Amino acid sequence: MQFIDTHGHYAWGIDDGMPSLEEAKEALKLAKKNNIQAIVATPHVIPGSHQREDIMEIRSRILDLKQLALQYDIQVYEGCELFLNHDCIEAIHHDLFIPFENTSYLLCEFDVRKELGNQEEVEDYLYEIEMKGYTPIIAHIERYFKDGLDIDRIQDLIYSGYIIQVNSSSLLGVHGKTCKNNAFTLLDKGLVHIIASDTHRSTGKRIPNLLEVYEILSK
């Protein structure tokens, strides 16, 4: 079984992902061992902090990663993880983001430190992305519900045409029991489209681990 990792911070030195070229190399080696044949590089883009020149720098580093990954027979596609904050509507209007390469899909996230916000902080932002012609992929949705999943709301997001992504690390319990339970509940209810690694390091808990999760879930 081969995998495409659609959420990973493998590009080094540009966000809280890989701190160095050497660690990026080790992460790619581990990705190869996990049968990952393609990666969408999704560095964080934070509206209000990242300007056009920053987007250009991110794209340049992703290009570096593309060339490096070829040594491991892994294809890399460009993308980003857009943080949906109070500055995001302006950023969306000015194209200050990177969609999945040659597609209309855009990975986006909310603040994982707090409960998922109200409609004006969530659905309205997602609607702006939709009106721009892109389909939002909602990153690690299991991490936004601290006091129990709002299944009806998540179903409404799916009915709106949005894509739901869960982290493999959540399924392994890396983010605690609540996230793990949320992730398995979403799977049981058929409310997950994508499982991705959200890789940040080559060692520790947030690593390329899709093969391990596949073997667990396939049972």
Side-chain angles (χ1 to χ4, degrees):
M1 178 64 66
Q2 293 185 315
F3 307 105
I4 299 173
D5 193 359
T6 58
H7 181 179
H9 301 266
Y10 293 84
W12 62 95
I14 52 175
D15 66 1
D16 63 345
M18 301 300 156
S20 67
L21 171 61
E22 288 307 311
E23 182 140 1
K25 290 179 179 178
E26 293 303 314
L28 289 170
K29 290 179 184 177
L30 187 54
K32 185 66 176 179
K33 290 180 180 178
N34 270 261
N35 296 344
I36 295 172
Q37 62 176 349
I39 290 166
V40 183
T42 55
H44 292 288
V45 169
I46 303 174
S49 297
H50 288 111
Q51 305 303 321
R52 197 163 304 280
E53 58 270 21
D54 300 306
I55 301 297
M56 293 175 62
E57 181 180 356
I58 290 171
R59 280 194 150 121
S60 177
R61 180 47 51 86
I62 292 174
L63 183 60
D64 294 337
L65 179 66
K66 286 187 179 190
Q67 296 301 316
L68 176 65
L70 291 177
Q71 300 177 25
Y72 305 91
D73 196 27
I74 296 174
Q75 295 292 319
V76 170
Y77 302 97
E78 71 172 10
C80 79
E81 184 178 14
L82 181 67
F83 184 53
L84 299 187
N85 60 12
H86 62 279
D87 291 314
C88 74
I89 292 179
E90 183 176 358
I92 291 165
H93 287 172
H94 289 89
D95 297 314
L96 296 178
F97 58 85
I98 308 171
F100 282 15
E101 188 169 332
N102 297 322
T103 77
S104 60
Y105 292 96
L106 175 62
L107 182 70
C108 51
E109 69 167 341
F110 300 96
D111 191 342
V112 297
R113 297 168 298 181
K114 59 183 183 181
E115 193 80 9
L116 192 66
N118 59 32
Q119 179 174 328
E120 292 181 352
E121 297 172 325
V122 177
E123 282 82 357
D124 286 359
Y125 292 164
L126 296 170
Y127 182 74
E128 291 292 333
I129 293 172
E130 183 182 356
M131 288 299 96
K132 190 71 175 178
Y134 294 92
T135 298
I137 301 173
I138 303 173
H140 41 61
I141 198 167
E142 74 282 2
R143 299 182 67 190
Y144 306 130
F145 295 91
K146 317 299 182 186
D147 299 312
L149 291 169
D150 186 339
I151 295 297
D152 290 340
R153 192 176 188 190
I154 294 171
Q155 286 178 326
D156 285 343
L157 292 172
I158 293 173
Y159 294 152
S160 295
Y162 307 148
I163 305 300
I164 303 298
Q165 182 253 306
V166 162
N167 280 3
S168 54
S169 53
S170 293
L171 293 163
L172 294 173
V174 167
H175 304 292
K177 290 183 179 179
T178 297
C179 281
K180 183 176 182 178
N181 290 338
N182 286 349
F184 274 99
T185 298
L186 290 170
L187 278 176
D188 289 341
K189 293 183 177 296
L191 300 177
V192 178
H193 297 103
I194 297 171
I195 297 172
S197 76
D198 193 8
T199 286
H200 278 66
R201 293 289 187 273
S202 62
T203 58
K205 297 179 178 179
R206 303 186 71 181
I207 60 175
N209 52 21
L210 296 186
L211 183 58
E212 179 183 0
V213 169
Y214 174 81
E215 290 173 346
I216 291 172
L217 296 182
S218 65
K219 296 177 182 179

